[in-house]
Each structure stands twice: as C-alpha cells, then as structure tokens.
Amino acid sequence: MHAEDNHDHGHDERRTVKIVGLAEGLLFPHAAQTVCLTRRIRPAGAKIRGHWSIEVLHHIRDATRTLTTLGINPA
C-alpha cells in the first residue's frame, strides 16, 4: 500500500494505492491482481471550522462556569 498527501489548491488531499491478489472464481478468470485507488479531499476551511466550533464550546463552558461561580443560574 502506498499513500501520498498533498496540501495544495486550498484543500487537503490523500491518495492511496493498494494492490491485492485475487481469489479464483471471479468473472475475470485470468486476472491475478487488482488495484484499488482511493482519493479523499477535505477543503482547508473544514479544518478551520472544526477548530472554531470547539472554541465556541469552550467559551460556552467557561461562561457558564463563571455565571455559576457568581451565583447566577445560566439556564
């Protein structure tokens, strides 16, 4: 198996190539191997959005904790 990462053109891309031997009894009687190519793309913005969604949750948690410490019911 071979994997290659690329971080150009505003997205993250991972390409994987896997070569596997075939079992007998398939529709292609003379085939001995097959190649599986996989390409996964993640826009660069997805990574940033994911980070900021976690930061928002931390802010809500901290604000709720502060209000509770002050004796204010945040609900």
Side-chain angles (χ1 to χ4, degrees):
M1 184 162 115
H2 172 75
E4 181 179 317
D5 294 323
N6 189 358
H7 306 288
D8 293 332
H9 307 292
H11 63 266
D12 294 336
E13 179 178 10
R14 182 170 185 84
R15 291 186 209 124
T16 307
V17 179
K18 187 180 352 179
I19 301 174
V20 233
L22 294 176
E24 291 183 20
L26 294 176
L27 296 175
F28 303 97
H30 300 292
Q33 293 181 328
T34 186
V35 177
C36 178
L37 303 171
T38 307
R39 181 177 175 222
R40 296 177 192 244
I41 297 175
R42 184 170 86 170
K47 192 185 309 182
I48 295 169
R49 281 191 303 276
H51 170 76
W52 283 111
S53 66
I54 292 170
E55 290 299 319
V56 167
L57 293 175
H58 289 167
H59 172 74
I60 292 169
R61 180 198 62 200
D62 295 343
T64 303
R65 189 175 292 155
T66 301
L67 291 174
T68 305
T69 303
L70 294 173
I72 301 170
N73 184 2

